[in-house]
Amino acid sequence: TGCRLAELVGLDIRDLRDVDGANGAKAVRVRGKGDKDRTVTIEAGLVDVLGEYLASRAIRFPHTGRVRARSDSTPWTRF
């Protein structure tokens, strides 16, 4: 992704946004050196892996998602 380790550790699922016309890619807002925000694109393959992880996490730890998540919510909106 081009992120520094500290930027990756500081990520929050709510920082991810869909990218228009990017075939499944997402953009993430990261806070870097000097508290400067920048946007990094995450490729569709990594988005798929993260989605699978979030789905498995919801099964393994059912009480860690949003309390009022809709039944048809995706792993991306559940956390």
Side-chain angles (χ1 to χ4, degrees):
T1 63
C3 289
R4 295 176 181 90
L5 179 59
E7 294 170 341
L8 286 172
V9 170
L11 286 180
D12 188 296
I13 194 74
R14 293 171 293 211
D15 295 331
L16 291 163
R17 301 288 179 253
D18 290 330
V19 177
D20 292 333
N23 296 328
K26 289 192 180 282
V28 63
R29 183 178 43 95
V30 296
R31 177 153 291 167
K33 288 183 176 180
D35 281 339
K36 294 182 182 177
D37 288 337
R38 63 190 177 98
T39 302
V40 177
T41 303
I42 298 176
E43 295 180 14
L46 180 55
V47 170
D48 292 341
V49 170
L50 289 173
E52 291 172 10
Y53 165 74
L54 291 173
S56 73
R57 178 180 160 176
I59 293 167
R60 292 179 290 134
F61 307 105
H63 302 292
T64 59
R66 289 185 182 163
V67 174
R68 297 176 189 243
R70 294 179 7 196
S71 61
D72 64 339
S73 62
T74 67
W76 294 102
T77 58
R78 194 172 293 127
F79 291 95

